[in-house]
Amino acid sequence: MKVYQLLNEKANITQGQDKREVQYLQQVADLLADELNVSHNNITVSLNPPPSLDLDKSQHGLTIGLGRKPSEIFVIIDRGLTTAEKVRVLAHEMVHVQQLSRGDLALLEILKGKIAGEWQGEPFDFVRYSKSNPWEVEAYTREKELHKLVISKLGQYNQ
């Protein structure tokens, strides 16, 4: 399923974002979903994170898909970012979608901002977000190449 349906229906775009930005982000999401071979997933992208979400200050996005190879995956991106930052964060979070889809990452429980699950078959218990988590290392590494791909195929967003 393409994420454009859910972006248009579910995202609450506020704080100066306009329809053109939503369309551009939709093109970005579709390009990344195809590039990462995750178009078959039911992916919901929201640009309106709940205020109660317990994120680390350096964390601008979150991907949730509970269970092994989840059928539904939710991506939340901070609406206060610039469009260019949203593209970078979306690239990062789509790597997590790919990790969940291929079964390398399994999120089995979330409690008070900590997650328990498995990474490549090895269990981990209630860890907080850290750039040194192996799934984060991969996402941070790949976000740069994916961001370059987006710019080469779609160009920069122009307001």
Side-chain angles (χ1 to χ4, degrees):
M1 175 177 195
K2 298 286 184 187
V3 294
Y4 74 89
Q5 296 163 326
L6 295 163
L7 259 174
N8 289 330
E9 293 173 6
K10 302 287 186 181
N12 182 11
I13 309 299
T14 59
Q15 299 177 341
Q17 292 95 347
D18 58 22
K19 188 175 182 177
R20 284 184 46 247
E21 184 193 46
V22 173
Q23 290 170 340
Y24 177 76
L25 291 172
Q26 180 54 60
Q27 290 174 330
V28 171
D30 288 342
L31 174 65
L32 293 170
D34 289 342
E35 178 69 21
L36 296 170
N37 196 28
V38 295
S39 298
H40 59 282
N41 289 300
N42 185 6
I43 304 167
T44 302
V45 177
S46 172
L47 302 176
N48 193 17
S52 61
L53 201 60
D54 185 20
L55 295 178
D56 182 273
K57 297 291 182 208
S58 65
Q59 196 175 2
H60 298 291
L62 177 69
T63 299
I64 301 170
L66 291 178
R68 291 174 182 83
K69 294 189 178 184
S71 59
E72 288 190 275
I73 300 173
F74 301 91
V75 176
I76 301 170
I77 298 173
D78 184 350
R79 70 179 165 268
L81 302 174
T82 67
T83 304
E85 291 169 326
K86 289 174 189 171
V87 170
R88 182 189 52 76
V89 172
L90 184 55
H92 178 101
E93 296 306 324
M94 290 298 279
V95 173
H96 293 314
V97 170
Q98 184 185 47
Q99 293 167 340
L100 290 165
S101 297
R102 68 182 185 226
D104 283 348
L105 179 61
L107 304 176
L108 303 176
E109 192 172 353
I110 301 173
L111 182 64
K112 296 182 181 177
K114 296 180 180 181
I115 56 173
E118 296 174 358
W119 172 249
Q120 296 181 335
E122 296 294 321
F124 59 85
D125 285 325
F126 297 105
V127 297
R128 271 214 170 272
Y129 165 80
S130 170
K131 288 184 177 183
S132 64
N133 292 339
W135 52 91
E136 291 297 344
V137 170
E138 179 186 8
Y140 277 106
T141 301
R142 297 207 51 218
E143 82 180 35
K144 293 175 183 101
E145 81 180 59
L146 293 170
H147 188 248
K148 286 180 184 178
L149 173 75
V150 167
I151 300 309
S152 73
K153 298 275 187 182
L154 302 176
Q156 296 275 6
Y157 174 76
N158 297 316
Q159 294 182 341

